[in-house]
Amino acid sequence: MTGINYAWSALGGDPSLLSRVTTVTRESTLPAHLPVRQLARACVGVCALAAAELGARRTGAAEVPRVRVDDGAVATAFTSERHLLVDGRAPVQFAPLSRFWRAADGWVRTHANYPHHRARLLGALGLPEDASPEEVAARIAARPALEVEDTVYGAGGLAVALRSPGEWAAHEQAAEVAARPLIERRRLDAAHARVLPPLGAGAAPLLPAAGLRVLDLTRVLAGPVATRTLGLLGADVLRLDAPWLPELPDQHADTGFGKRSATLGLTTDRAAFEELLASADVVVTGYRPGALDRFGLSPEALAERRPGLVVAQVSAWGAYGPWGGRRGFDSLVQVATGIAEIEGTADRPGALPAQALDHGTGYLLAAGVLRALTERSHDGGSRSVRLALARTARWLTKEVEPGSGTGEPYAGPDAWLAETDSALGRLRYARPPVSFAGGPADWARPPVPWGSDAPRWA
C-alpha cells in the first residue's frame, strides 16, 4: 500500500477519493536512506484531500475538488524553519547544548533549546548554569549512555541514548507503539451533530474551516504545524500559552501564520478559558500525555463540557507504555527509534533531512481534525484524534514504500518561498504545501508577537 493510501485509510477516508489526488514528483527532494519524501508527500496529500472533502461537504458540491501535491512545495514546507528570515536574519535552529555527545559506550542526544531544559540538563550532570559545551562533553563522556538518559530524564531534562533499530524494536515502548494505529480515532459520545454553517458555492478561495474556532494549546513543532494549517483553511485559531512559559520567538514566527496569540493561566484565568471553550469547535493539545488532565482538559472532560467538540492530541512517545509520560522532540525520537543510526555513518549518528516526524505528524493531525469534522457533520458525536511522533517514526521505518521514477527537475526552494511584512518585521517564509482546486494559496494573516492578543475569539 502506498504512503497516501495507507494514511488515508488510517484516517477512515473513502478510498474512491484518492483518485482526486495528483502528485508532482521531484526525486532530489528530501534525500535520505529512508523514504522521507514519500512520507512527507503522503502527509500533505491526505491533509489536502481531507480539506477538499470538508469543503465539498460544506458547499454542497457533488464532487470533491482536485488535490495537487508538489514535492517541491512539500520539501520546502517540511524545512520551513530553515527558510525563515526575520528582517534578513536567519534563526538559530539548535542551542549549543542541543546536539549529539559521545558517551562512555555510545552516543547521547540532548535537547536544551528552552532555558528550563538547559538548566535541568546541567543540574542533572552536576554542572553550573554557565557550564561550557566542553564541560558537558567531558561529563557525558565519562558515563554510559543509558545512565545519562535516565539521570537527565529523572531531573526533568531531555536526553536520549542512541539505539539501533533492533534495540528499539526490543524496547517495551516500541511494542506499545507498534500495537497502535498510525492515527487513533475515537467517537467520545453520541452528541447531536453540530451543523457547520454552509459555505457559499463558488466562494473564492474555498476555506473549508471558515467559521470554526480552534483553541491551540500546542508547542514545538507538530501541534503548531497542524494549527497553522487549520488557520490557512480559514479557522479562527487562538494559540494560548501560560504567561510564564514563553515560546522561542523565531519558532513562534515560523508556526504562527494564520493565528492569533494570547497568554492565559489555566489556574488563574479559568473563567476566561471556560468562556472560550463554550464556543470552540476544536481543541488541539501538544503537551506530554496527562499534563493537562488535572486542569480538566482530557478529551472526555472537554467533551462533557462542550458536546460535539473535536479534541486532537499529539505527543512524542504516545500516551501509553513506560515512556507515555515522557517529554520528547523530533530529534530525540529519531535517536531512540534507530533513525539516527540508519541515517548516520560508521563514525557518527545522522539525522533526517528535515524534522519530518514533527512536520509529517502535524499535517496528519490537521487531516484528522478535518476528517473528524466531516464525520461529525454526518452523524454527530464528540471526536478524539491522537498521534505520536514515535508511531510516525515506525511508519517511516517499517511501512512506507520507497518510490521509483525520476520525476520533474528540482531547482531548489525559491519557487515556494514568499515574503511579507508583519509586526515581527519583514519575513521570508515557506508557502503552504496544502493545495486543492479553489483553495487558499497562502495565509490570510502573518504571525503576531507572542501573547499580543486578548484571550477571546475574533
Side-chain angles (χ1 to χ4, degrees), residues 223-456:
V225 166
T227 50
R228 180 179 70 183
T229 303
L230 296 175
L232 168 74
L233 298 171
D236 179 8
V237 179
L238 179 61
R239 173 163 167 165
L240 297 177
D241 287 283
W244 55 86
L245 199 60
E247 183 60 281
L248 300 173
D250 293 332
Q251 193 163 263
H252 183 74
D254 177 52
T255 59
F257 284 86
K259 309 179 190 181
R260 293 178 298 116
S261 171
T263 59
L264 185 147
L266 290 174
T267 53
T268 58
D269 303 311
R270 190 51 186 257
F273 178 82
E274 293 299 323
E275 185 176 346
L276 289 168
L277 176 63
S279 58
D281 296 283
V282 180
V283 174
V284 186
T285 70
Y287 291 79
R288 61 189 174 88
L292 298 178
D293 289 5
R294 64 190 176 95
F295 298 106
L297 301 187
S298 69
E300 294 78 8
L302 287 167
E304 184 176 351
R305 303 202 300 283
R306 176 62 168 158
L309 190 70
V310 175
V311 183
Q313 298 173 296
V314 62
S315 64
W317 309 105
Y320 38 74
W323 284 18
R326 289 199 176 194
R327 299 172 179 86
F329 293 93
D330 181 306
S331 59
L332 303 183
V333 176
Q334 290 189 41
V335 171
T337 58
I339 291 173
E341 181 176 284
I342 293 171
E343 297 296 335
T345 65
D347 300 324
R348 185 176 179 84
L352 298 175
Q355 294 189 67
L357 305 181
D358 260 334
H359 285 273
T361 304
Y363 288 109
L364 290 178
L365 190 67
V369 169
L370 296 165
R371 288 245 61 252
L373 291 167
T374 297
E375 291 177 340
R376 190 189 71 177
S377 70
H378 286 285
D379 56 6
S382 307
R383 308 278 173 159
S384 169
V385 180
R386 191 167 67 181
L387 287 96
L389 303 189
R391 184 59 183 84
T392 305
R394 177 178 172 81
W395 183 35
L396 175 64
T397 56
K398 302 287 187 182
E399 298 159 350
V400 178
E401 294 181 358
S404 58
T406 57
E408 299 291 327
Y410 176 64
D414 289 354
W416 297 281
L417 297 175
E419 292 192 8
T420 188
D421 290 316
S422 76
L424 302 173
R426 182 71 177 174
L427 302 179
R428 187 191 74 176
Y429 64 97
R431 292 166 51 202
V434 173
S435 176
F436 54 93
D442 210 336
W443 289 277
R445 61 165 64 223
V448 298
W450 180 84
S452 60
D453 290 295
R456 58 174 177 260

Side-chain angles (χ1 to χ4, degrees), residues 6-31:
Y6 183 97
W8 189 242
S9 175
L11 287 162
D14 178 354
S16 70
L17 294 183
L18 289 167
S19 64
R20 308 300 294 169
V21 181
T22 300
T23 299
V24 179
T25 303
R26 301 182 191 274
E27 289 297 316
S28 58
T29 57
L30 299 175

